[in-house]
Amino acid sequence: MKKFLKISSVTILVIGIVSVVALLLFGRNNHSNLSGSVSEKIDQYLTNEKFQGTVLIAKEGEVLFTQGYGMAAPGLPNSPSTLYQIASLSKTFTAVAIMQLVEKDLLSLDNPISQYFSDFPNGETITISHLLSHSSGIPDYLTENAEFDYSKEWKPNDIVNTIRDSELKFTPGKSFSYSNTGYVMLGLIIEKVSGQSYANYIEQHIFEPSNMVNSMFTVPPGVPKAKGYVDGKVGPFIHNSAAYAAGDIISTIEDLELFDRALRNHVLISKETSELMSRTHAKKFPHQYGYGWYTQDVMGKQAVGHSGGYPSGFRHYVTRLNDEELTVIVLSNEMTINSKRINRHLTSIVLQQPIWIWQEKF
């Protein structure tokens, strides 16, 4: 969610890990596994930084490195099977669901949202494409409502209604402004077009074909999951309805890798659709966004990625280098990593480039 997704320590951490792997892996003939020295370097770095969370690195369908650090909850160490609220990483799932419906000719990216929200202001000029790329101009309910109550149960339409009477931030399609509201509306469109609840659609059409057996929207009683921490203390309670299609999925790092693999193998959407999602459709310096992904450049290589965060203490980032089929996933349940120290460490030892380059790209 935007107000918690500014360039953060976890984002810098992901950039560093991508760079470690890229610098030490791309020059080798054998990309099928990480050498002991690379694994040790990554592990030592994360240990030294007192990183709390889980990291996974995969290449060409093979997991090269995955490990948990610190505690997920009292008495529960972080591990690759730990359940996390993945927050805005959910947006990619929502975008994939929309693109599945497009492939089935059940909707068009050019459809105005007035077809689904008959009385929404300016609905005739805002398209599904605008919602997907954060170029609708619809205000973000999380920034427009400083007093938004994360602790209570929300209905998606009630979330949309919090900004219904607000003016658009710009003419649709003319700029970029991250809007959780737009993705809540996409979830409602999925429901109206498919005839299923958003959760049921995602479970049937994304979780199941990806074999994501440990992903869900509500954790059953007694099943442990990660708690978010702020300054070493458990963060505030967030109700699992507070973001809906913009950020309510609960998953593990292992399942997120299966999702990534299903996308790369064109199990969920076609290659052409995946490429369309990875193209830039909206930008406002320094941001570039496709459909459900930030579009990026990592060491001169085309990439996509997404961040995710909750004020309860969760900080996540996914980076996918498309041509090399390299994916780095970082899930963290501690908000207060020293990003400046990590930034300096990665700049001087790994990246060997001015840090402003990375700030522009991410």
Side-chain angles (χ1 to χ4, degrees):
M1 294 189 236
K2 185 178 181 183
K3 64 193 294 187
F4 305 106
L5 298 183
K6 295 179 181 178
I7 295 172
S8 66
S9 54
V10 170
T11 303
I12 300 300
L13 176 61
V14 174
I15 297 170
I17 296 173
V18 170
S19 302
V20 170
V21 177
L23 287 171
L24 299 175
L25 226 174
F26 289 158
R28 299 174 181 269
N29 293 324
N30 182 6
H31 290 174
S32 64
N33 211 338
L34 289 178
S35 68
S37 62
V38 176
S39 293
E40 290 170 6
K41 177 169 290 207
I42 294 171
D43 178 60
Q44 190 62 57
Y45 170 69
L46 293 168
T47 300
N48 290 346
E49 296 300 325
K50 296 181 173 58
F51 174 70
Q52 181 169 305
T54 306
V55 168
L56 185 147
I57 300 168
K59 182 171 174 60
E60 297 175 353
E62 180 181 358
V63 176
L64 304 181
F65 180 94
T66 184
Q67 191 163 321
Y69 297 82
M71 303 302 291
L76 180 68
N78 274 310
S79 76
S81 60
T82 299
L83 287 169
Y84 295 84
Q85 291 178 302
I86 68 168
S88 282
L89 300 186
S90 304
K91 287 184 173 65
T92 308
F93 289 78
T94 299
V96 168
I98 288 288
M99 301 310 289
Q100 288 177 336
L101 296 172
V102 170
E103 288 188 337
K104 294 175 182 177
D105 292 325
L106 294 176
L107 55 76
S108 167
L109 293 174
D110 295 327
N111 285 354
I113 65 170
S114 58
Q115 292 187 19
Y116 313 99
F117 306 93
S118 59
D119 59 345
F120 193 84
N122 303 293
E124 289 288 348
T125 63
I126 301 169
T127 66
I128 290 175
S129 176
H130 293 148
L131 297 183
L132 283 168
S133 59
H134 297 291
S135 61
S136 68
I138 295 174
D140 185 351
Y141 70 95
L142 293 179
T143 55
E144 294 296 309
N145 296 277
E147 301 302 321
F148 183 80
D149 187 354
Y150 287 91
S151 65
K152 79 171 195 177
E153 183 175 0
W154 284 88
K155 294 181 179 180
N157 281 307
D158 291 339
I159 292 176
V160 174
N161 285 337
T162 64
I163 58 81
R164 178 178 291 274
D165 296 328
S166 301
E167 292 185 5
L168 294 181
K169 301 185 74 169
F170 50 80
T171 301
K174 298 301 183 181
S175 189
F176 167 91
S177 182
Y178 193 93
S179 176
N180 287 290
T181 315
Y183 270 74
V184 170
M185 297 175 78
L186 287 170
L188 288 167
I189 291 172
I190 290 167
E191 292 193 348
K192 292 176 181 181
V193 172
S194 70
Q196 297 178 268
S197 71
Y198 171 76
N200 286 345
Y201 183 92
I202 298 297
E203 289 166 355
Q204 181 179 344
H205 297 279
I206 296 183
F207 291 170
E208 290 181 14
S210 302
N211 297 315
M212 298 172 66
V213 298
N214 294 310
S215 297
M216 61 201 72
F217 289 85
T218 302
V219 178
V223 175
K225 69 173 183 177
K227 294 181 179 294
Y229 288 84
V230 181
D231 289 321
K233 299 179 181 179
V234 175
F237 172 73
I238 304 289
H239 195 278
N240 66 351
S241 66
Y244 181 56
D248 278 353
I249 292 175
I250 298 165
S251 189
T252 70
I253 206 164
E254 293 173 326
D255 267 19
L256 291 178
E257 190 277 326
L258 291 174
F259 174 58
D260 172 75
R261 192 181 308 186
L263 286 174
R264 292 191 185 277
N265 292 337
H266 315 304
V267 172
L268 303 175
I269 52 177
S270 69
K271 178 181 178 182
E272 292 75 19
T273 297
S274 185
E275 290 174 348
L276 179 62
M277 290 180 64
S278 300
R279 295 176 197 156
T280 299
H281 298 286
K283 55 186 175 182
K284 181 181 180 182
F285 183 83
H287 305 291
Q288 295 187 156
Y289 205 89
Y291 292 151
W293 293 116
Y294 282 97
T295 54
Q296 307 169 345
D297 184 292
V298 177
M299 298 185 66
K301 301 177 184 294
Q302 195 270 330
V304 294
H306 216 289
S307 49
Y310 269 134
S312 56
F314 291 98
R315 292 284 199 216
H316 314 312
Y317 209 95
V318 173
T319 295
R320 306 171 79 233
L321 275 70
N322 294 334
D323 292 340
E324 288 74 19
E325 295 192 23
L326 176 69
T327 300
V328 176
I329 307 171
V330 173
L331 304 181
S332 175
N333 62 321
E334 169 56 60
M335 185 173 287
T336 53
I337 296 173
N338 188 327
S339 60
K340 184 176 181 179
R341 178 161 48 84
I342 293 173
N343 182 323
R344 186 164 53 244
H345 174 85
L346 296 177
T347 301
S348 61
I349 298 179
V350 180
L351 302 183
Q352 303 298 314
Q353 297 187 52
I355 194 60
W356 64 265
I357 294 176
W358 298 97
Q359 290 177 328
E360 287 184 7
K361 299 301 181 185
F362 285 77

